[in-house]
Amino acid sequence: MEVFTQQLINGVTLGAVYGLIAIGYTMVFGIIGMVNFAHGDVFMVSAFVALIVFLAVTTLAGLSGGVVFLALLLALIVSMIITALYSWTIERVAYRKLRGSFRLAPLISAIGMSILLMNFVQVAQGARNKPIPPVMRDTITLFERNGFAVAISYKQIMIMVVTAVLLGIFWYVVQKTPLGRAQRACEQDPKMAALLGIPVDRTISITFIMGAALAAVAGTMFLTYYGVVVFSDGFTPGVKAFTAAVLGGIGSLPGAVLGGLLIGLIETFWSAYFSIDYKDVAAFSILAIVLIFMPQGLLGKPEVEKV
Amino acid sequence: MSDPANTAGPDWGQITRDSAFAALIAFGLFVLMLGFKADQSLNNQLVLVFRPELLASTVALVFIGRFLIGYWQSRKVEGAAKKKAPSKWAQKAEKYGLPAAVGFLVAYPIFILVTVGPSGAIKWIDNFGIQILIYIMLGWGLNIVVGLAGLLDLGYVAFYAVGAYSYALFATSEPIKDFMAQLIGEGFWQAWAFWICLPVAGILAAFWGVLLGFPVLRLRGDYLAIVTLAFGEIIRLVLINWVEFSNGYAGISSIPRPSFFGIPFNASDEGFAAKFGLEFTPIYRTIFLFYVILALALITAAVSMRLRRLPVGRAWEALREDEIACRSLGINTVNTKLTAFAIGAMFGGFAGAFFAARQGFISPESFVFLESAQILAIVVLGGMGSLLGVVIASIMLVGGVELLRELDFLKAVFGDNFDPAQYRMLIFGACMVLMMLWKPRGLISVREPSVFLKEKKAVSADLVKEGHG
């Protein structure tokens, strides 16, 4: 029971990170029907941006408690802005011209972008692991039984709270604002939306920006949680987040969050109870199984095949 | 960003504004990622290194690049673009290009040997010749799945791995060696292992192709791509983690090299050089390997060209164009898809067995997703379904990237720390994006019909109705 509760906390934390990345996949797939393969690497770039900002602030002002908090906050904000810029540029340069082109072209372009980003970071920042000094290590012990203490760390609380708050804001934007309406209109029928005066190109750009900003939140949280980042960190979390998006039903926002939580929980429980070596195999197997037996996902709409 | 310029020459103001905007964006993108570097200090802590020159020169480069593109675009608008029919050149290329390419490849090792001499030739035949041919073969194998049957496979490297591990495990297995020694005689297995295992590796890979193809029969397009990616990764992760089976990360070493049909390439009296009265050098093995992979690749090409004209090949192409129409015409889509997976996988398995034999060492590191992406990129950049396109794309991508290792003179320009090889994959990724922007249909986007009424009319791929894939 103690182990279970502890893993539940860890799983939800990890799931929050996956869920944030998954939203980027699901929104882009919903609006232009492509798998933005580079999204995982955008997430990795965001973690690096956060790392650099964090280092800059702590080098200038030291490593005391208040400074660390300020540094993380600043890292989060700067990372969201810069990552959004990356995503905007990627869409503008690599995807926009291919919209409506031959179906494989955007996917290949996205894979190329993913390789480009990964190797750009490797060349620009070096291939070694980048550890930050451990921050927010304190934990709160929830209860203790049989000598096993179930604890939740401040980091985990921060990740959960930030995720919940941002998801709330995001949910409000998509459901209640004119921008969100335009997005949903473009998702249903871009041509009709354009005829009704909705700037489709700009709406799609904003979708990419929003997805990237949430990925940047995930990237900053990832950096804080694990305390280390390396240039190849985009691929596996990217694929897992995509799995989460598919599991929840691609195109559905609550689905992406739900899928992210499920994937996070499955991964942590699998590592705890079965085998830590095969945790990625578990995630990939779920992806395959869901796509084969339940391609519409948990909360998605079934796809109707038209002649 | 640039609107079509009006009649009176390029609009310099607009181009400058666009370039300045691009430079601004580039500054935003690179100010942290290039302007600073998080570097390890001596006591293993991260410190920031500020690199203003690098940042400034990159931003300047973006400005100049955008300026040139803007100028070029304004020129292009003046000479209004015409919609072109498939050019005669592309049709001719497919007809005469392939025999010419084959002729060149057959002569290549001899040409290199004559021009460079035996000592320098190994590098050129091995790194360029064999390396490129492996990718050509993989490209042609994947072309059956992606180009003909229209099934987007992002996990092709799994079958490459199955082939490589089949050969490596069989050839290094002691029980099989002992069994063969008892059955036929000492030394037989050592000499013939490659030739016996090659078909076995292909068959095993085909079996895995069916096995992995079966669950994904209902999927199409992007979903199929992602599931095949997942399968590829699962196989790699199992190879890493199942240490008793595959020796994990450490991989399998001292895999026997292929023999010249029973005659080993070594310095002994029984070796190839001694038997043929030649002086022993390692170059013979390299040349032999070159011809082996060339023959394997040509078999792949011949088989896929023949299959296109057989009923199963026509069914593949019908499937690519429209699955629903295909089914309503009574084509068994299950069998059609599975044969495509199996045959494509089989050639991947052959290439894998060859790869293991050539390297003498394999580990899961050789079968990462990047390899799948690279093979798929070759097929798509070449123009799906075009055999010649695969050749051109492999030479450009693999050869071009290999060539970067040779650019040592750049050190004189950029200083000694400059290593062009580290930019290999960066340039590769950029090439993939640029090629898609330039020619989304690939280099040779002509489809030659295999069924026709009165005369063959090559159809531009742009005009072919897009199937669901």
Side-chain angles (χ1 to χ4, degrees), chain B residues 305-316:
Chain B
M305 277 202 297
R306 287 301 304 160
L307 280 175
R308 257 198 83 187
R309 288 175 172 74
L310 291 178
V312 65
R314 291 185 180 161
W316 287 340

Side-chain angles (χ1 to χ4, degrees), chain A residues 82-95:
Chain A
I82 300 236
T83 313
L85 192 61
Y86 267 90
S87 195
W88 180 85
T89 314
I90 291 169
E91 195 272 334
R92 193 70 191 75
V93 173
Y95 303 156

Side-chain angles (χ1 to χ4, degrees), chain B residues 149-378:
Chain B
L151 302 163
L152 181 56
D153 189 347
L154 271 181
Y156 193 63
V157 79
F159 308 123
Y160 188 43
V162 168
Y165 270 87
S166 313
Y167 172 59
L169 289 171
F170 282 132
T172 55
S173 132
E174 286 297 323
I176 294 183
K177 197 177 161 192
D178 294 345
F179 176 75
M180 283 294 185
Q182 275 176 0
L183 199 70
I184 304 174
E186 264 336 304
F188 172 79
W189 184 242
Q190 191 69 22
W192 285 92
F194 177 72
W195 297 104
I196 295 169
C197 291
L198 185 67
V200 176
I203 291 165
L204 275 175
F207 171 72
W208 275 92
V210 174
L211 209 67
L212 298 188
F214 205 71
V216 298
L217 285 170
R218 291 194 304 166
L219 298 176
R220 45 176 61 178
D222 292 2
Y223 276 13
L224 178 68
I226 301 293
V227 171
T228 48
L229 182 155
F231 282 150
E233 283 297 299
I234 289 172
I235 288 193
R236 186 177 68 88
L237 290 166
V238 169
L239 285 175
I240 289 175
N241 289 310
W242 194 2
V243 178
E244 306 87 66
F245 173 71
S246 63
N247 205 16
Y249 269 121
I252 299 172
S253 52
S254 58
I255 300 166
R257 301 306 190 90
S259 59
F260 184 78
F261 307 107
I263 306 170
F265 289 93
N266 55 24
S268 72
D269 287 347
E270 291 297 304
F272 178 81
K275 282 250 168 142
F276 287 85
L278 300 162
E279 200 181 328
F280 174 76
T281 71
I283 189 88
Y284 297 127
R285 193 214 306 270
T286 312
I287 293 176
F288 178 65
L289 283 174
F290 180 89
Y291 283 117
V292 170
I293 185 67
L294 180 61
L296 284 173
L298 290 180
I299 291 169
T300 316
V303 168
S304 54
M305 277 202 297
R306 287 301 304 160
L307 280 175
R308 257 198 83 187
R309 288 175 172 74
L310 291 178
V312 65
R314 291 185 180 161
W316 287 340
E317 292 196 285
L319 190 71
R320 177 187 66 200
E321 298 307 332
D322 196 329
E323 188 174 336
I324 298 172
C326 207
R327 222 182 295 152
S328 50
L329 286 172
I331 292 171
N332 184 340
T333 51
V334 172
N335 287 355
T336 312
K337 283 185 181 181
L338 287 182
T339 42
F341 272 121
I343 294 176
M346 182 180 75
F347 289 117
F350 287 150
F354 175 83
F355 174 76
R358 171 212 177 202
Q359 301 292 101
F361 166 77
I362 52 168
S363 76
E365 292 293 288
S366 310
F367 307 104
V368 291
F369 165 70
L370 201 62
E371 290 289 314
S372 287
Q374 200 161 345
I375 304 163
L376 183 70
I378 285 171

